Amino acid sequence: YYRHVAPEDVSGRADVDVYGALASHYRLAAERPQGTARVRVLTPTLAEDGWSAGGHSVVEVVTDDMPFLVDSLTMELSRELRDVHVVVHPHFDVRRDITGALLHVAPVDDGALEPDDDSVRESWMHVEIDRIADEDAASIVENVQRVLRDVREAVEDWPRTRQRMLDVVDELRAHAPSSLDAEEVRQGAELLEWLTDDHFTFLGYREYALEEHDGEDALRAVPGSGLGILRADQDTSEAFARLPEPVKAKAREKTLLVLAKANSRATVHRPAYLDYVGVKTFDAAGEVTGERRFLGLFSSSAYAESLIRIPLLREKAREVLRRSGFDPRSYAGRALMDTLEGYPRDELFHTTVDELAPMAVAAMHARERRAVRVITRADTYGRYVSVLVYLPRDRYNTAVREKFSEILLDQLGGESVEFTVRINESTTARVHFVVHLPREVGDPTVTGTLRALDTTDLERRLADASRSWRDDFLAAVLSEYGEQVGAALGRRYVDSFPEAYKEDFSPRAAAVDVGRLEGIEGEEGLDLSLAPTHASSSSTRCGRCGTVVPRSTASTGWCWAWGWAGARRCCSARTPSTCARGPRPSRSTRSRRRWPPTSTSPGCSCGSSSCASTPRSRTASSRPRRWRPVWAVRSTTWPVSTTTASCAATSP
């Protein structure tokens, strides 16, 4: 039972818990009628069941062994936002009587493909999820049963669905539609044949007839033609599917193949939107009469296959290269082909050559520049918008990607967004977003009217969202001191400012501070900058060049500054703690603590000559000002100290 389970999943459990899981699963498997699945959800406890699953709830399944079981089950649990902690998935060869009662069970030998006798191979799944409420168990059982039915129907009908596509290939080669170009028919037949060679996971099939219903074009499902997840015939009221405007415009278009994404997610294998492969049917006059519709998912081998070995796509690539005018043997020609090889494979299938040619060239140029570039394509049927975003690789992180998603949802009015990230040895990262648009009745996207999108404005918004304090600092230094000097100063100081400084001061202020630090002459020096922050307060920044003594041994030279009510208070003492105002705030509180806390600031009794003057008092109504740290940021040997307000910098 636990032969293929990771040791760490069960090593910390008591013997009674390990045995209890097996015993519970065995009791569930005691009876299972042929062709059905047994599903149970429980939260075992020591008090009631004599064993526990570490506080988790358990989903137990007993069914016939078939592909896609574990990934489909865990996919459904993830869709319900149930975290999966442990998966136990043994196989057994069992014998049952005619009622489904268990007579014999035996483990499967390693490498055994089929049972040796009249046994039936079963899959037992024990999946531990977050603890659930008792009232949620019934809905989980219902949803899991629905997914298992889809898996069974898809797997049972897979051979017949594949054969349907091979029959279509033979028909096209024997009786090509008269209204289609022979080259188009050849490419289409080769692509369909390529899909049957383990490049497409067939999940459903159905035939449709294109007819007029109430004066409008409609697709009518042909009764008895469904296979897989489309096996069940539709109700009479649903058999006629009125076509939205963008679909209606394409329905009678004389093209052979329809390659697109369906508007529903797969419940089998992967939680992706279903791939839609439609083959139109024609009458003797060459007019469109309907379509044969295949639903499924492109397999992993289809995405890994080289572009030049995929029918239809290799012809698209050659045409794109021809339109670009690049010599295939030149650097630009090879770069364009490399761009197409790495281009999102779904986009290559769904995009026409007229659209793909300029987009591929734009993508090739975007890979070579440290800038944010956006390439968009609206779905032919108005269901989603594909957005390719190229940005400098060092700028990409999860926070940036989430900002991009929010911007795209806002700009396009989408209801959900998917993303795929591609990062390799290139200096740029590529994020492919697919923004799905609402499908409610009356929504403009149903009629094909998509929201207008200004690509230039979108690039600006995404560029701003991806910029960091570091990027703005480098730009500010270049603007302040010119390219030659600014580039050198940027490299020297870009990693010298601590995070607390970045929270308090803008990159432009930092660029000015760099100039002040560079202006300090000699090995020892001090520079002070007093700048107003608003009408009644000021901020003082202190830059120092020279030896910095740790706080615990400091004897001279510390300068701490505060600003409020237009007055500057400064104390220099043998140790900062001797100041009458009290100890300075700790590093963890200096960005939010009010200091001094009293409404009146007393004089300094530290005895330092710099504090000889008596500060003016503050009234109770005076607004307290935030304490500002002192920054010493130029040194050849200074380490960043967690107890001082200094930071390291590379020597000029």
Side-chain angles (χ1 to χ4, degrees):
Y1 186 79
Y2 293 102
R3 180 169 51 174
H4 299 297
V5 178
E8 58 269 19
D9 287 341
V10 295
S11 59
R13 301 196 175 187
D15 295 346
V16 66
D17 295 335
V18 175
Y19 176 77
L22 168 60
S24 174
H25 215 157
Y26 184 83
R27 287 192 295 270
L28 177 67
E31 184 178 349
R32 184 183 73 86
Q34 183 180 3
T36 63
R38 293 294 308 278
V39 180
R40 178 170 61 187
V41 178
L42 70 158
T43 304
T45 61
L46 287 174
E48 296 182 3
D49 304 282
W51 67 285
S52 70
H56 300 144
S57 294
V58 176
V59 180
E60 295 178 340
V61 176
V62 178
T63 187
D64 294 307
D65 185 37
M66 62 189 76
F68 313 135
L69 284 174
V70 175
D71 44 6
S72 300
L73 174 59
T74 56
M75 182 175 72
E76 172 61 25
L77 295 174
S78 298
R79 187 191 65 82
E80 299 183 20
L81 304 180
R82 315 285 184 185
D83 290 336
V84 175
H85 300 279
V86 177
V87 176
V88 182
H89 181 216
H91 295 87
F92 295 108
D93 289 339
V94 305
R95 290 200 305 270
R96 299 180 181 273
D97 62 17
I98 193 172
T99 65
L102 184 63
L103 301 177
H104 176 75
V105 58
V108 177
D109 296 332
D110 291 336
L113 299 180
E114 297 292 339
D116 296 331
D117 49 17
D118 58 348
S119 300
V120 175
R121 184 156 298 170
E122 292 186 348
S123 177
W124 295 15
M125 290 178 286
H126 168 105
V127 182
E128 297 182 9
I129 61 176
D130 288 339
R131 195 182 189 98
I132 64 170
D134 293 339
E135 56 268 21
D136 293 338
S139 64
I140 295 177
V141 171
E142 180 182 356
N143 291 332
V144 170
Q145 286 281 15
R146 172 180 50 81
V147 169
L148 294 177
R149 284 194 299 270
D150 288 346
V151 173
R152 180 180 296 276
E153 292 173 353
V155 172
E156 289 179 349
D157 289 348
W158 181 87
R160 287 190 291 168
T161 306
R162 179 178 178 274
Q163 187 59 45
R164 286 284 194 280
M165 184 170 283
L166 289 174
D167 293 341
V168 171
V169 172
D170 294 338
E171 182 181 329
L172 289 174
R173 288 173 174 168
H175 307 286
S178 59
S179 58
L180 297 181
D181 181 72
E183 180 63 17
E184 180 183 357
V185 175
R186 182 192 65 81
Q187 293 180 17
E190 289 182 356
L191 177 64
L192 296 177
E193 190 174 37
W194 177 82
L195 291 176
T196 63
D197 190 18
D198 292 333
H199 292 113
F200 193 77
T201 302
F202 295 95
L203 300 180
Y205 169 80
R206 183 180 284 154
E207 297 177 7
Y208 291 85
L210 181 60
E211 303 175 356
E212 283 194 9
H213 186 69
D214 295 338
E216 295 184 359
D217 286 338
L219 284 175
R220 179 180 61 83
V222 177
S225 63
L227 294 174
I229 60 176
L230 300 178
R231 179 190 294 178
D233 287 334
Q234 293 177 297
D235 296 334
T236 304
S237 60
E238 298 176 354
F240 280 94
R242 287 186 175 84
L243 303 180
E245 289 300 326
V247 181
K248 187 184 300 183
K250 296 288 184 180
R252 296 194 179 275
E253 190 177 83
K254 295 179 181 179
T255 56
L256 179 61
L257 297 181
V258 179
L259 302 176
K261 284 286 186 182
N263 54 12
S264 57
R265 290 182 181 271
T267 57
V268 180
H269 189 31
R270 301 200 301 268
Y273 280 83
L274 288 164
D275 290 301
Y276 172 113
V277 179
V279 185
K280 292 185 179 180
T281 57
F282 298 82
D283 59 16
E287 298 297 326
V288 179
T289 60
E291 77 170 19
R292 298 182 175 106
R293 180 178 302 176
F294 296 87
L295 293 181
L297 297 168
F298 286 110
S299 65
S300 58
S301 60
Y303 291 104
E305 188 86 7
S306 174
L307 186 70
I308 61 176
R309 290 196 290 269
I310 302 178
L312 185 65
L313 296 192
R314 61 190 173 210
E315 286 79 11
K316 282 187 178 182
R318 290 169 187 161
E319 181 61 18
V320 168
L321 186 60
R322 187 191 67 79
R323 295 191 183 191
S324 69
F326 298 141
D327 186 338
R329 297 166 297 178
S330 66
Y331 169 79
R334 294 179 184 274
L336 181 58
M337 286 301 297
D338 184 63
T339 300
L340 289 172
E341 284 283 2
Y343 208 78
R345 190 59 49 92
D346 290 336
E347 287 295 293
L348 293 177
F349 279 114
H350 304 157
T351 309
T352 63
V353 174
D354 292 338
E355 292 178 301
L356 182 61
M359 293 166 60
V361 174
M364 181 189 72
H365 293 316
R367 297 195 317 165
E368 302 170 352
R369 289 166 174 79
R370 281 188 54 84
V372 176
R373 291 291 180 265
V374 175
I375 301 173
T376 63
R377 183 190 69 87
D379 172 47
T380 305
Y381 303 106
R383 291 174 294 196
Y384 64 86
V385 177
S386 170
V387 182
L388 280 174
V389 181
Y390 291 85
L391 72 160
R393 184 173 61 180
D394 54 358
R395 285 196 193 180
Y396 176 79
N397 54 46
T398 301
V400 169
R401 190 255 304 160
E402 291 175 346
K403 292 178 183 178
F404 284 2
S405 298
E406 293 176 0
I407 292 173
L408 292 174
L409 287 173
D410 178 67
Q411 292 294 300
L412 294 169
E415 64 177 1
S416 65
V417 60
E418 296 178 305
F419 69 93
T420 305
V421 182
R422 178 183 173 90
I423 300 178
N424 52 22
E425 67 279 358
S426 174
T427 59
T428 59
R430 188 194 74 197
V431 190
H432 181 208
F433 294 97
V434 179
V435 182
H436 295 275
L437 305 174
R439 293 185 287 116
E440 288 82 6
V441 176
D443 189 275
T445 60
V446 175
T447 63
T449 305
L450 302 177
R451 181 178 295 186
L453 183 63
D454 185 347
T455 304
T456 303
D457 178 67
L458 181 60
E459 285 183 347
R460 180 188 59 79
R461 292 173 182 269
L462 296 181
D464 291 342
S466 67
R467 292 184 68 87
S468 62
W469 193 96
R470 176 193 179 101
D471 298 323
D472 291 337
F473 169 74
L474 292 174
V477 172
L478 291 177
S479 175
E480 187 75 14
Y481 305 105
E483 291 188 356
Q484 183 175 359
V485 176
L489 292 177
R491 289 191 299 268
R492 186 179 305 158
Y493 287 98
V494 67
D495 296 320
S496 300
F497 296 92
E499 294 302 320
Y501 179 94
K502 297 176 184 179
E503 292 178 4
D504 286 341
F505 300 104
S506 68
R508 296 182 63 182
V512 175
D513 287 346
V514 165
R516 294 182 176 276
L517 291 170
E518 287 293 308
I520 298 177
E521 298 180 356
E523 296 298 326
E524 299 282 343
L526 182 69
D527 184 272
L528 295 175
S529 173
L530 179 65
T533 56
H534 52 76
S536 61
S537 80
S538 61
S539 171
T540 304
R541 297 194 301 278
C542 173
R544 175 171 180 151
C545 176
T547 303
V548 174
V549 184
R551 177 184 176 187
S552 59
T553 59
S555 57
T556 60
W558 282 108
C559 177
W560 301 94
W562 301 267
W564 61 76
R568 173 176 172 271
R569 309 296 176 89
C570 180
C571 173
S572 296
R574 296 183 63 83
T575 58
S577 60
T578 61
C579 178
R581 297 190 185 100
R584 60 188 172 96
S586 65
R587 185 180 182 87
S588 61
T589 60
R590 62 178 60 156
S591 63
R592 59 185 182 273
R593 179 175 170 185
R594 303 294 186 181
W595 197 91
T598 58
S599 60
T600 303
S601 179
C604 182
S605 60
C606 63
S608 173
S609 59
S610 62
C611 297
S613 59
T614 302
R616 67 180 181 179
S617 61
R618 300 165 58 201
T619 63
S621 62
S622 298
R623 178 183 178 186
R625 303 301 172 193
R626 188 170 71 176
W627 175 83
R628 293 288 186 179
V630 175
W631 304 102
V633 289
R634 183 184 178 202
S635 171
T636 57
T637 58
W638 295 350
V640 176
S641 171
T642 58
T643 59
T644 65
S646 63
C647 65
T650 305
S651 177

